[in-house]
Amino acid sequence: MGKLLILCLNLIVFNSFACSFAPVFDEFITTDVALIKASSPRFSLESIHRGTDDGNHGSCSDLGIIKLKIDTIPVHEQGYIFKIVKGRFEDQLFLDSPVVLSKFIQNKQLYSFMWFDGSNEVQEPINITIQITAVSLSGDKSEPQVLNISHPGTSKPWWKVW
């Protein structure tokens, strides 16, 4: 019984130090308003950060982050559907429905997509093509933008033999 109690306490302590962050996206809901044309999106790749193991189980060091920057914020509110159309990705990066930036996000031009990239120093290359479609409040969809995202991956440092 004592061993079970110690195990349960260890699990509670471990979870209390877990990585956490504010929501990045909210679902975009279309309405029955008059037709509003969706503006074509113009995103570019801002940065890619790969996950590592910093030795702290409670940190977010194992998160990978892809940041996309929209060139111009449209006049009318609209959401975006992000979809991988070429290549494979190790985790689910995008939701299936249109999204808008969360109210917690201050920079309204920067879209950050996170995934658990792994807790080691070796990361596989990324080579995907995504399609970005804007959706207006009335449900009108824009012509999609196609954007290539690639990263060479990371290798084990030459000096590590273990």
Side-chain angles (χ1 to χ4, degrees):
M1 183 66 177
K3 290 180 183 179
L4 181 59
L5 178 62
I6 290 172
L7 175 64
C8 289
L9 288 174
N10 281 332
L11 290 175
I12 292 169
V13 170
F14 180 79
N15 286 335
S16 68
F17 293 114
C19 171
S20 65
F21 43 87
V24 179
F25 297 106
D26 291 327
E27 185 177 0
F28 182 73
I29 308 293
T30 57
T31 62
D32 291 333
V33 298
L35 179 64
I36 300 171
K37 295 288 289 174
S39 302
S40 295
R42 289 195 335 251
F43 282 87
S44 58
L45 178 63
E46 178 77 7
S47 65
I48 297 177
H49 169 79
R50 300 304 299 261
T52 61
D53 182 7
D54 66 359
N56 179 352
H57 297 292
S59 77
C60 295
S61 65
D62 59 349
L63 282 181
I65 304 170
I66 293 176
K67 292 184 180 182
L68 302 179
K69 185 175 183 180
I70 189 165
D71 293 342
T72 306
I73 298 174
V75 176
H76 298 288
E77 182 182 9
Q78 60 186 27
Y80 298 96
I81 300 170
F82 298 87
K83 180 180 178 182
I84 297 174
V85 293
K86 185 178 178 189
R88 294 181 52 116
F89 200 76
E90 66 180 297
D91 199 354
Q92 181 176 350
L93 191 59
F94 307 122
L95 298 173
D96 293 331
S97 58
V99 294
V100 291
L101 288 174
S102 168
K103 63 183 176 187
F104 301 108
I105 304 299
Q106 291 186 2
N107 185 344
K108 298 300 182 188
Q109 286 187 282
L110 208 54
Y111 288 67
S112 298
F113 300 92
M114 295 172 259
W115 78 98
F116 290 108
D117 198 18
S119 59
N120 59 48
E121 296 172 336
V122 179
Q123 299 296 350
E124 68 286 338
I126 295 173
N127 191 13
I128 58 174
T129 301
I130 64 171
Q131 176 179 291
I132 307 163
T133 306
V135 180
S136 73
L137 276 173
S138 64
D140 181 58
K141 292 184 178 177
S142 71
E143 286 294 319
Q145 174 192 0
V146 176
L147 181 64
N148 294 317
I149 297 176
S150 63
H151 185 275
T154 56
S155 302
K156 185 180 198 178
W158 64 269
W159 51 270
K160 279 200 171 180
V161 293
W162 58 93

